[in-house]
């Protein structure tokens, strides 16, 4: 389902098992990050090692198990693991032989965040129907 208002957009990632990769920048009109939802089938791998010029990446493993390669080091990953990768690092990911792996990749410009939740969030007087 897609929906949009003045200050938001909602979309759906669809059938990620079939699509393999969905990027959300255009879909959600993101202005500070690129987010992708990815699924590799059992035994599948991203077919190249890549780095970035300016962007760090955070990989969030949502489901399954696999293996990461970062600058020549290889290690196992599983559901619940989160991995931050510096822009210059060469990285690759694969699913293990028995299970697909599903993960989010959030890409943002390294050192661009100037305010965190505590400094940027503002509590408003507005209330949804479920808050009294
Ligand atoms: Zn990347």
């Amino acid at each position: 389902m897609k929906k949009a208002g003045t200050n938001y957009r909602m979309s759906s990632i669809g059938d990620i098992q079939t699509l393999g990769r969905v990027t959300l920048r255009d879909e959600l009109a993101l202005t500070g990050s690129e987010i992708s939802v990815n699924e590799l089938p059992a035994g599948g791998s991203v077919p190249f090692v890549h780095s970035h010029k300016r962007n760090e990446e955070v990989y969030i493993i949502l489901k399954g198990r696999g293996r990461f390669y970062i600058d020549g080091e290889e290690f196992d990953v599983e559901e619940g693991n989160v991995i931050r990768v510096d822009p210059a690092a060469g990285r690759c990911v694969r699913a293990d032989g028995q299970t697909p792996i599903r993960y989010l990749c959030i890409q943002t410009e390294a050192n661009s965040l100037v305010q965190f939740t505590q400094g940027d969030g503002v509590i408003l007087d507005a209330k949804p129907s479920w808050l009294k």
Side-chain angles (χ1 to χ4, degrees):
M1 178 185 176
K2 294 187 181 199
K3 187 169 168 53
T6 304
N7 291 319
Y8 74 95
R9 281 194 192 191
M10 182 175 90
S11 189
S12 173
I13 61 168
D15 180 3
I16 193 62
Q17 278 185 302
T18 302
L19 297 170
R21 175 179 166 83
V22 174
T23 58
L24 302 179
R25 184 178 61 92
D26 293 339
E27 195 69 24
L28 298 179
L30 299 174
T31 63
S33 63
E34 169 64 291
I35 301 172
S36 63
V37 186
N38 304 270
E39 180 154 323
L40 295 166
S45 175
V46 172
F48 50 82
V49 173
H50 78 285
S51 64
H52 281 268
K53 296 172 185 163
R54 298 168 60 155
N55 297 343
E56 66 185 19
E57 290 182 319
V58 174
Y59 291 80
I60 303 171
I61 313 301
L62 300 174
K63 184 177 137 190
R65 287 189 304 275
R67 207 152 163 82
F68 249 74
Y69 167 100
I70 299 179
D71 286 342
E73 183 180 348
E74 296 183 7
F75 55 93
D76 291 331
V77 296
E78 63 182 11
E79 179 177 327
N81 287 155
V82 292
I83 305 107
R84 177 196 169 274
V85 185
D86 283 333
R91 84 282 320 252
C92 189
V93 59
R94 64 162 291 184
D96 82 3
Q98 278 73 50
T99 52
I101 188 169
R102 181 179 299 174
Y103 59 95
L104 296 177
C105 181
I106 302 171
Q107 194 180 127
T108 57
E109 185 173 342
N111 301 307
S112 65
L113 191 60
V114 294
Q115 295 217 78
F116 298 81
T117 303
Q118 296 286 326
D120 196 60
V122 179
I123 304 293
L124 303 177
D125 287 333
K127 290 199 185 310
S129 63
W130 60 87
L131 290 181
K132 303 291 179 210

